Amino acid sequence: MAKAPPSISLLLLLSAAVFLTLPASISSIGVNYGTLGNLPPPTQVANFLKTQTSIDSVKIFDVNPDIIRAFAGTGISIVVTVPNGDIPALANGVEARRWVSANISPFHPQTKIKYISVGNEILLSGDDNMIKNLLPAMKNLNAALVRAGVKDVKVTTAHSLNIIAYELNGAPSSGRFRPGWDKGVLAPILAYHRQTKSPFMVNPYPYFGFDPKNVNFAIFRSPYKAVRDPLTGKVYTNMYDTLMDSTYSAMKALGYGDVDIVVGETGWPSACDAPWCSLENAAWFNLNIIKRAQGQGTPLMPNRRFETYIFGLFNEEGKPGPTAERNWGLFRSDFSPVYDVGLLRNGQGGGGGRPAPALPAPSAGGGKWCVAKSGATDAQLQANIDWVCSQGGVDCKPIQTGGACFNPGSVRSQASFVMNAYFQRNGRTDGACNFSGTGAIVGNNPSNGACKY
């Protein structure tokens, strides 16, 4: 990577005023509506979104009938999600028809159900049974919709970007799906999408894989270290575009570059256990995401409009794990904005916001490790393991069966390993070992035998 050329830096300076003010009319912007916390009832949420915001679609992580019913007649479209554990059963056509009869037919078209997401980030789960049954379940649900006369609901599934094999040569144009998943799993799914004209849904989160020494590149801020694709000559000024173009390149390499892409989740937390989370940085990130959703596109997909669902609607105080997990929301539970990204109607909030001052690069540190604090409970530490291994961007194979750190009798030792892996990955800052007060930084290497920290 190299520093951005002067022309790009100048362009960013000249366009700053444009970024500060969003278009007067925002279209095709959605949010993920999570429910872990003391949040308002769904009817109030639906009315708020309809009357006070320009948000035109929501995505939920289940098929909660109260939520689906609340959006009836609002004009706001909704994405419902099949719980991961239900996928094997839906590989049976009869069960798929029963599922549609119970969860779609009673509500649609009064509620504009747009997509059914079959599970969430199934490949990331590593569950072979769910992965094997994912596409059959998608096909059966689609057939069940057709049989029920429902022609305007599409079936898809949301993918974590761990499906991409990065660093082939650092070029987004050389992005490829991981071997084993490319032709065996994802090519058939993409063929299904082409056949049914349904979108390929991905969750591109710069937050879960950025370089702590190049934070600004992850949050659309200057100064940053740009990425130049040596194969195309395209210069990338932010990480989000590299993720999107790597995905597009992987799809194109399999012959499916024509399939639509929907951004199922992306966002940036306004608070976390590290210095790169702030109200200003979260606002700046999401301002730029909204800008791209309006048709700005990427270097390999210029002027392309991406249907986008920001994560998330509310700060969810009931979520376990590190501080960030409770601070992804655009709004608080009383509907007041956490920060302003121009989504409120009638001039409420106005779409402003200023770029935050440049963040200092985290200290490289030395001789520091993160371990579970002595007073932490097993429940707290298991929540840390679950979060780090699902969303923290850490390889947790060493604590799985056969791994060098596999120790099913000690939640504490396994939690310490993954907490330290997250700590090392995120710049070894004090905040990266907070874990809601359950982590402690030590100066002695806690490695034990083959289990290396």
Side-chain angles (χ1 to χ4, degrees):
M1 294 190 296
K3 293 182 179 179
S7 59
I8 291 196
S9 298
L10 178 60
L11 176 61
L12 288 172
L13 290 171
L14 293 175
S15 62
V18 176
F19 282 145
L20 293 178
T21 305
L22 288 169
S25 176
I26 295 174
S27 63
S28 299
I29 194 67
V31 293
N32 285 271
Y33 174 10
T35 57
L36 295 179
N38 185 22
L39 299 175
T43 52
Q44 291 184 18
V45 174
N47 183 64
F48 168 71
L49 294 179
K50 177 184 177 181
T51 62
Q52 297 188 49
T53 79
S54 54
I55 293 167
D56 63 4
S57 50
V58 299
K59 179 168 162 279
I60 62 175
F61 294 93
D62 51 24
V63 282
N64 185 322
D66 293 331
I67 295 178
I68 299 173
R69 191 178 296 112
F71 282 91
T74 62
I76 296 172
S77 64
I78 185 168
V79 182
V80 299
T81 302
V82 175
N84 288 4
D86 291 352
I87 290 173
L90 295 176
N92 178 290
V94 174
E95 290 300 320
R97 291 194 291 273
R98 288 175 179 165
W99 193 94
V100 168
S101 295
N103 297 293
I104 303 298
S105 297
F107 308 105
H108 187 77
Q110 294 83 2
T111 298
K112 291 176 58 178
I113 300 173
K114 189 170 187 178
Y115 304 124
I116 299 170
S117 175
V118 182
N120 188 50
E121 301 186 340
I122 297 303
L123 273 66
L124 179 64
S125 75
D127 187 309
D128 290 338
N129 190 40
M130 284 196 292
I131 294 171
K132 176 181 67 176
N133 287 296
L134 177 58
L135 183 56
M138 294 169 68
K139 290 181 174 180
N140 284 340
L141 285 172
N142 184 70
L145 290 169
V146 172
R147 180 168 176 157
V150 179
K151 299 179 180 179
D152 54 351
V153 176
K154 300 295 185 181
V155 179
T156 184
T157 184
H159 299 280
S160 161
L161 285 195
N162 77 318
I163 61 175
I164 304 293
Y166 291 109
E167 300 301 326
L168 292 181
N169 62 10
S173 64
S174 68
R176 298 293 184 270
F177 293 122
R178 290 185 182 276
W181 288 349
D182 49 0
K183 297 179 181 178
V185 178
L186 292 164
I189 287 176
L190 286 164
Y192 159 83
H193 286 312
R194 176 185 282 165
Q195 178 185 2
T196 60
K197 296 182 172 57
S198 55
F200 188 64
M201 185 177 286
V202 295
N203 298 340
Y205 276 107
Y207 180 78
F208 291 122
F210 69 95
D211 178 359
K213 296 180 180 179
N214 196 15
V215 177
N216 285 346
F217 185 69
I219 58 174
F220 300 92
R221 290 209 51 250
S222 180
Y224 53 83
K225 291 181 180 179
V227 169
R228 182 182 182 277
D229 188 321
L231 304 179
T232 64
K234 304 287 187 183
V235 175
Y236 288 81
T237 61
N238 64 85
M239 185 176 175
Y240 182 82
D241 285 353
T242 70
L243 296 177
M244 294 296 288
D245 279 356
S246 293
T247 301
Y248 168 72
S249 298
M251 295 167 64
K252 187 177 179 181
L254 291 179
Y256 296 99
D258 58 310
V259 173
D260 283 342
I261 300 173
V262 166
V263 176
E265 296 178 35
T266 192
W268 196 272
S270 58
C272 69
D273 303 319
W276 41 75
C277 297
S278 67
L279 295 176
E280 293 83 2
N281 286 347
W284 190 247
F285 180 89
N286 282 325
L287 278 166
N288 281 276
I289 292 299
I290 293 169
K291 187 86 172 178
R292 275 154 176 74
Q294 307 312 302
Q296 180 171 319
T298 67
L300 292 183
M301 297 179 284
N303 303 314
R304 185 162 169 178
R305 184 184 296 272
F306 299 108
E307 186 177 348
T308 300
Y309 295 80
I310 292 175
F311 193 92
L313 178 55
F314 292 113
N315 279 344
E316 297 178 76
E317 296 298 331
K319 293 187 79 171
T323 301
E325 287 302 288
R326 293 173 289 284
N327 289 279
W328 288 89
L330 297 169
F331 297 95
R332 302 180 184 90
S333 59
D334 62 358
F335 297 116
S336 63
V338 177
Y339 48 82
D340 175 26
V341 288
L343 295 177
L344 289 168
R345 294 184 185 276
N346 303 321
Q348 303 175 71
R354 296 193 306 272
L359 293 171
S363 169
K368 295 197 299 184
W369 294 265
C370 177
V371 298
K373 189 176 286 186
S374 59
T377 66
D378 281 358
Q380 289 173 314
L381 297 179
Q382 185 61 54
N384 291 347
I385 293 171
D386 293 343
W387 181 84
V388 171
C389 294
S390 65
Q391 301 187 56
V394 166
D395 180 5
C396 289
K397 289 187 180 67
I399 66 166
Q400 296 171 0
T401 304
C405 300
F406 177 61
N407 186 0
S410 175
V411 173
R412 182 170 301 277
S413 67
Q414 299 204 128
S416 290
F417 177 83
V418 300
M419 289 163 67
N420 179 69
Y422 179 85
F423 172 68
Q424 302 295 334
R425 180 183 177 89
N426 289 280
R428 288 185 282 184
T429 64
D430 291 353
C433 185
N434 184 280
F435 289 96
S436 299
T438 63
I441 295 174
V442 298
N444 295 322
N445 190 335
S447 297
N448 182 18
C451 181
K452 303 297 184 185
Y453 281 60

